[in-house]
């Protein structure tokens, strides 16, 4: 399968030739595929926001290329404009970008810029509103009269209304309560399922990423050191911690068990996987596992940096979190 969007040796330098020169990205090769749900993680200042702003032409590469459906988005002004409709970007706290008199006008802004007729604009506005759970009655209200969560939905609907082949969301659940988080993520999944769009989510929530995405890309100091399925990436727990990132609580529990000498898979990140891993370890040698956990046959090694708090209540907290997210 060919990527829907990709970068080739992408580099970006801020303030070149000045004392503030900073290489935010260095020779980055990145790709996302049609229908994929992709997570991007990285510490603040890692380069992840710079990366996603290149994908729809908000930033121009210092060197390298950005391709959408195999075409360089900077080969012409027309190609750049088209890429901005194909790749929709929702910034963190997008509700601060609302500006129209009514929700309808705000959501219709993008489709109207695409030159669509009023009938098609109306269809897209109402369909996008439905995707994010907004009733028609809200469309004629001022967006500034809505709650924070509703404003977030209006802003996301404004990007969805352009029906992008790639939808990028930068911390879409930031500042929302648990119910709001679940609702917004379900809305995004509804769009993903209906349009088979590639969804790229940038988030600091390892728990959310573990449950939601098909693949993870880790950005660190302008490079991509790790990528793969959540299980493959979270198996590198110590490396992630050294990059200023965390891992899901359940993964930390199993890294702790591994450090204590238990023969378990440390890449576990869900309750279901935890159950399978424990049963598998017991089937391979229950007495051996039990003895090691009790410290009878092996001196306890030094704890991993992120595992110290887990000795008392890590498993209970992980189980509680997953139940609450269902």
């Amino acid at each position: 399968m060919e990527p829907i969007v990709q970068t080739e040796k992408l580099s970006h330098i801020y303030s070149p030739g000045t004392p503030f020169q900073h290489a935010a990205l260095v020779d980055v090769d990145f790709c996302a595929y049609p229908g994929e749900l992709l997570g991007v993680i990285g510490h603040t200042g890692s380069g992840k926001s710079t990366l996603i702003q290149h994908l729809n032409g908000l930033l121009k590469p210092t060197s390298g290329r950005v391709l959408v459906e195999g075409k360089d988005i900077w080969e012409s002004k027309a190609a750049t404009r088209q890429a901005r409709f194909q790749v929709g970007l929702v910034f963190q706290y997008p509700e601060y970008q609302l500006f129209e008199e009514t929700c309808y006008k705000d959501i219709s802004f993008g489709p109207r810029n695409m030159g669509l007729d009023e009938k098609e604009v109306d269809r897209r506005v109402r369909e996008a509103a439905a995707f994010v759970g907004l009733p028609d009655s809200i469309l004629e209200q001022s967006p500034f009269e809505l709650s924070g969560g509703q404003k977030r939905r209006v802003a996301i609907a404004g990007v969805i209304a352009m029906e992008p082949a790639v939808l990028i969301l930068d911390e879409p659940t930031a500042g929302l309560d648990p119910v709001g988080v679940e609702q917004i993520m379900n809305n995004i999944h509804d769009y993903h399922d209906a349009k088979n769009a590639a969804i790229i989510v940038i988030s600091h929530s390892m728990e959310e990423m573990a449950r939601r995405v098909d693949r993870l890309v880790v950005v660190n100091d302008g490079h991509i050191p790790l990528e793969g399925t959540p299980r493959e990436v979270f198996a590198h727990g110590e490396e992630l911690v050294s990059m200023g990132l965390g891992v899901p609580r359940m993964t930390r529990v199993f890294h702790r068990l591994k450090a204590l000498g238990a023969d378990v898979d440390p890449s576990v990140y869900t309750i279901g996987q935890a159950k399978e891993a424990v049963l598998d370890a017991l089937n391979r040698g229950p007495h051996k596992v039990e003895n090691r956990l009790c410290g009878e046959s092996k001196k306890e090694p030094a704890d991993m940096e992120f595992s110290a708090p887990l000795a008392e209540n890590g498993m209970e907290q992980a189980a509680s979190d997953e139940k609450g997210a269902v």
Side-chain angles (χ1 to χ4, degrees), residues 2 7 21 24 35 40 82 111 134 150-151 187 268 292-293 307:
E2 293 297 316
T7 67
Q21 179 172 313
V40 178
Q82 182 62 24
L134 291 174
Q150 288 173 320
K151 289 178 182 177
N187 296 151
V268 164
R292 283 187 175 181
L293 290 178
S307 63

Side-chain angles (χ1 to χ4, degrees), residues 110-244:
R112 285 203 168 100
N113 276 350
M114 297 172 71
L116 303 173
D117 62 53
E118 283 303 310
K119 184 177 180 180
E120 178 62 12
V121 168
D122 184 72
R123 181 192 71 78
R124 291 192 179 206
V125 168
R126 296 184 187 280
E127 188 173 280
F131 272 125
V132 298
L134 291 174
D136 284 351
S137 59
I138 283 182
L139 293 178
E140 296 308 318
Q141 293 184 35
S142 166
F144 306 107
E145 297 174 353
L146 305 180
S147 68
Q150 288 173 320
K151 289 178 182 177
R152 182 79 52 92
R153 294 168 190 273
V154 172
I156 293 173
V159 176
I160 286 178
M162 293 186 288
E163 298 186 352
V166 182
L167 178 62
I168 306 172
L169 301 111
D170 189 356
E171 296 284 357
T173 59
L176 298 180
D177 59 33
V179 173
V181 168
E182 193 69 15
Q183 289 174 342
I184 289 291
M185 292 307 299
N186 286 340
N187 296 151
I188 293 168
H189 273 273
D190 289 343
Y191 181 76
H192 173 258
D193 293 341
K195 302 296 184 179
N196 195 38
I199 307 291
I200 302 174
V201 180
I202 291 82
S203 178
H204 285 95
S205 172
M206 297 300 105
E207 315 292 337
E208 198 66 47
M209 289 298 204
R211 290 197 307 121
R212 300 283 187 176
V213 304
D214 304 316
R215 187 164 62 94
L216 276 173
V217 169
V218 180
V219 183
N220 185 57
D221 294 336
H223 298 82
I224 296 180
L226 293 171
E227 60 180 303
T229 65
R231 193 158 197 158
E232 290 169 342
V233 170
F234 292 140
H236 298 269
E238 290 182 274
E239 291 177 58
L240 292 172
V241 170
S242 71
M243 297 174 197

Side-chain angles (χ1 to χ4, degrees), residues 72-84:
D72 188 335
I73 69 171
W74 290 102
E75 68 181 11
S76 66
K77 289 184 178 180
T80 306
R81 175 179 168 81
Q82 182 62 24
R84 289 171 180 163

Side-chain angles (χ1 to χ4, degrees), residues 84-104:
R84 289 171 180 163
F85 294 136
Q86 290 176 285
V87 182
L89 175 56
V90 181
F91 288 103
Q92 187 175 3
Y93 299 112
E95 57 269 26
Y96 296 148
Q97 299 163 35
L98 301 174
F99 64 93
E100 286 283 10
E101 297 174 355
T102 67
C103 297
Y104 187 99

